[in-house]
């Protein structure tokens, strides 16, 4: 008779994601994963494979959440220009969290693993490209709505906004100073004038 899972696979993946997000890949031991998920090693290995495969699954889960939930919600709730501002300002809220910010899981991973792990680099690059495309789409929609001037070039401005977003993700961990974040967001938004 096949082995049946008696736990929620997605919930467990989210718990593992939070462990990796808090500590990074290298600093998260299999024992940390056992403790954070509440599963034994055998169940983790049988379900996800090895630590690296679990990490990739967690990273993809974060990317799906970011794109399918967060970006869609921001886009649905705000006009294009305000959607860009809202996304950037999320890092303002992160800097004010008690206990500090964990930053962005994708950006943390880009810094830790992407230079020497082709699989991770692929996930991070795909996510960054999708984010860049989202910014370009918001700019184009903003131009069509008259919120952003026609002289702004969507693809170039989107790359600048992506760089700003990544920079904010790093600053949220290293210099969580709300006035600094506010100044950076306002500078980025001036590029859309």
């Amino acid at each position: 008779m096949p082995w049946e899972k008696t736990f929620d696979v997605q919930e467990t993946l989210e718990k593992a994601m939070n462990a990796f997000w808090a500590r990074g890949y290298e600093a998260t031991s299999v024992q940390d994963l056992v403790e954070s998920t509440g599963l034994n090693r055998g169940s983790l290995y049988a379900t996800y494979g090895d630590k690296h495969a679990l990490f990739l699954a967690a990273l993809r889960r974060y990317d799906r959440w970011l794109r399918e939930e967060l970006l869609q919600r921001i886009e649905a709730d705000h006009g294009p220009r305000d959607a860009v501002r809202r996304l950037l300002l999320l890092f303002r809220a992160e800097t004010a969290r008690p206990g500090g910010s964990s930053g962005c899981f994708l950006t943390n991973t880009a810094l830790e693993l992407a230079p020497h792990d082709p699989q991770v680099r692929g996930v991070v690059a795909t996510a960054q490209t999708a984010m860049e495309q989202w910014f370009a789409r918001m700019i184009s929609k903003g131009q069509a709505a008259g919120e952003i001037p026609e002289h702004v070039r969507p693809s170039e401005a989107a790359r600048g906004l992506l760089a700003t977003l990544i920079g904010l993700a790093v600053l949220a961990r290293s210099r969580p100073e709300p006035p600094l974040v506010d100044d950076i967001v306002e500078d980025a938004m001036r590029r859309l004038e």
Side-chain angles (χ1 to χ4, degrees):
M1 181 158 101
W3 173 67
E4 285 188 42
K5 292 176 179 49
T6 58
F7 58 91
D8 183 314
V9 174
Q10 290 305 313
E11 181 182 317
T12 300
L13 184 58
E14 188 148 337
K15 289 176 181 177
M17 178 188 76
N18 288 328
F20 284 126
W21 191 356
R23 297 178 189 92
Y25 177 78
E26 294 296 335
T28 303
S29 69
V30 173
Q31 185 59 37
D32 292 329
L33 294 167
V34 166
E35 290 170 10
S36 66
T37 63
L39 297 182
N40 63 42
R41 289 172 191 259
S43 293
L44 280 174
Y45 289 129
T47 303
Y48 301 102
D50 61 10
K51 176 183 166 184
H52 189 260
L54 175 56
F55 181 82
L56 286 170
L59 189 61
R60 288 183 181 106
R61 167 69 184 99
Y62 179 86
D63 179 38
R64 277 192 310 279
W65 167 80
L66 183 67
R67 288 195 274 157
E68 294 174 8
E69 296 175 33
L70 180 65
L71 293 181
Q72 286 180 8
R73 187 179 71 238
I74 290 172
E75 187 173 348
D77 292 348
H78 303 282
R81 184 179 172 83
D82 193 39
V84 170
R85 179 187 299 279
R86 294 285 175 166
L87 179 61
L88 296 175
L89 283 174
L90 283 177
F91 289 93
R92 171 77 156 75
E94 277 291 301
T95 60
R97 279 182 31 187
S101 171
S102 295
C104 169
F105 187 30
L106 282 162
T107 301
N108 297 349
T109 299
L111 296 170
E112 181 185 10
L113 293 177
H116 56 274
D117 186 323
Q119 288 179 295
V120 168
R121 185 171 44 250
V123 173
V124 170
T126 297
Q128 289 174 342
T129 298
M131 184 64 67
E132 181 182 333
Q133 290 168 345
W134 184 84
F135 279 129
R137 189 172 72 253
M138 291 303 97
I139 294 165
S140 294
K141 284 176 71 172
Q143 289 173 324
E147 296 179 11
I148 297 173
E150 289 298 320
H151 70 82
V152 175
R153 296 167 71 174
S155 62
E156 290 177 9
R159 288 183 185 123
L161 290 168
L162 175 65
T164 299
L165 185 68
I166 292 168
L168 286 170
V170 174
L171 285 171
R173 293 192 74 174
S174 61
R175 287 187 61 196
E177 304 159 19
L180 174 65
V181 173
D182 290 343
D183 288 346
I184 292 167
V185 170
E186 291 312 309
D187 180 67
M189 295 308 295
R190 280 193 292 274
R191 291 185 227 150
L192 302 182
E193 295 174 352

